[in-house]
Amino acid sequence: MSEAAVSWQPPELPVSDGRSFPVRHAWCVGRNYADHAREMGVDPERSAPVFFSKPAQALVHAETVMYPPDTAELHHEVELVVLLASGGRNLTPEQAAAAVFGYAAGVDLTRRDVQTRAKQAGQPWEMSKGFDQAGPVGLIVPARDWQPEAETAIALSVDGQRRQAGWLGQMIWPVAELLAQLSRTVTLAAGDAVFTGTPAGVSALAPGERVCARVEGLPELDFEIVAS
């Protein structure tokens, strides 16, 4: 009996210049904005970066995002997403900055009820972050055309009502330092997407609601939550 061939292609995200960005892996950081750390009950002055990951297939660029099954509390977290053209291990901040391909607005969707139950039981909570369409990402802008600044605004609205707002200077670990920290734990590589944390104001979403994520100077990410 012959074995079936395995055919697989990495998910691709669109770039503003017409190219596509093939995603190898998605890395995320929690508690990288002090106000969000506080709303999650953590002292940001004593908090080191908390890294976790999503599968590459969780990242999508779509007009509709399906509400995940077996979920009673789906939360939005607007984030600056950094896409890498190269990588390495134990990078300096300067080397990490040079590895960046581009930037996009993104939303880290979280099954908060699933995460809470897993934490209380001392179990892994990856299924609260790594479900289908858990990482909507906007149009990517190459690093040559846009760079994050401390005063760059970041925000998210639902059905036109502001829920989250802040600026990138509120990050505890700025982009280059964050990438350098992550490279001490894992080997970064071309095709990696890094979600850099969210400001305060995370809250629940429901089917039928429209989400608009904004990072000043980048294309808006706009999608509707639809029933599964």
Side-chain angles (χ1 to χ4, degrees):
M1 184 173 65
S2 62
E3 294 185 357
V6 176
S7 179
W8 176 83
Q9 294 292 328
E12 295 186 344
L13 299 173
V15 183
S16 60
D17 59 11
R19 289 180 290 171
S20 294
F21 182 89
V23 182
R24 185 190 83 102
H25 196 87
W27 303 102
C28 308
V29 62
R31 307 170 186 169
N32 197 31
Y33 286 73
D35 54 356
H36 175 58
R38 293 187 186 97
E39 76 176 349
M40 299 301 291
V42 177
D43 182 354
E45 299 300 325
R46 300 180 182 179
S47 179
V50 177
F51 294 113
F52 58 96
S53 66
K54 292 177 182 282
Q57 263 69 18
L59 271 58
V60 295
H61 181 82
E63 293 184 359
T64 59
V65 171
M66 185 175 64
Y67 194 96
D70 302 321
T71 303
E73 194 176 6
L74 178 68
H75 278 194
H76 57 73
E77 300 183 10
V78 62
E79 312 209 6
L80 173 67
V81 183
V82 182
L83 298 307
L84 300 186
S86 62
R89 191 72 184 267
N90 294 319
L91 301 175
T92 65
E94 293 75 21
Q95 290 170 327
V100 174
F101 169 83
Y103 301 89
V107 176
D108 172 15
L109 292 174
T110 304
R111 299 166 70 197
R112 192 71 71 196
D113 54 328
V114 174
Q115 184 185 50
T116 299
R117 288 196 302 270
K119 285 182 175 180
Q120 290 174 343
Q123 298 171 344
W125 43 267
E126 61 199 50
M127 289 307 294
S128 70
K129 294 283 191 177
F131 52 94
D132 293 347
Q133 297 187 301
V137 177
L139 191 67
I140 299 167
V141 174
R144 66 172 183 267
D145 297 328
W146 185 90
Q147 286 290 316
E149 303 289 346
E151 64 272 17
T152 300
I154 181 171
L156 181 141
S157 61
V158 178
D159 288 343
Q161 300 296 315
R162 183 67 57 89
R163 296 248 186 118
Q164 292 183 264
W167 55 93
L168 300 185
Q170 292 174 310
M171 286 186 186
I172 298 172
W173 299 92
V175 169
E177 294 180 25
L178 183 69
L179 295 175
Q181 285 280 341
L182 180 56
S183 76
R184 296 178 186 175
T185 301
V186 297
T187 301
L188 298 175
D192 283 357
V194 182
F195 286 67
T196 59
T198 193
V202 301
S203 58
L205 293 167
E209 292 184 325
R210 190 151 204 95
V211 178
C212 183
R214 299 181 180 90
V215 177
E216 184 181 2
L218 296 177
E220 291 183 354
L221 169 62
D222 189 84
F223 59 91
E224 181 182 357
I225 301 293
V226 298
S228 58

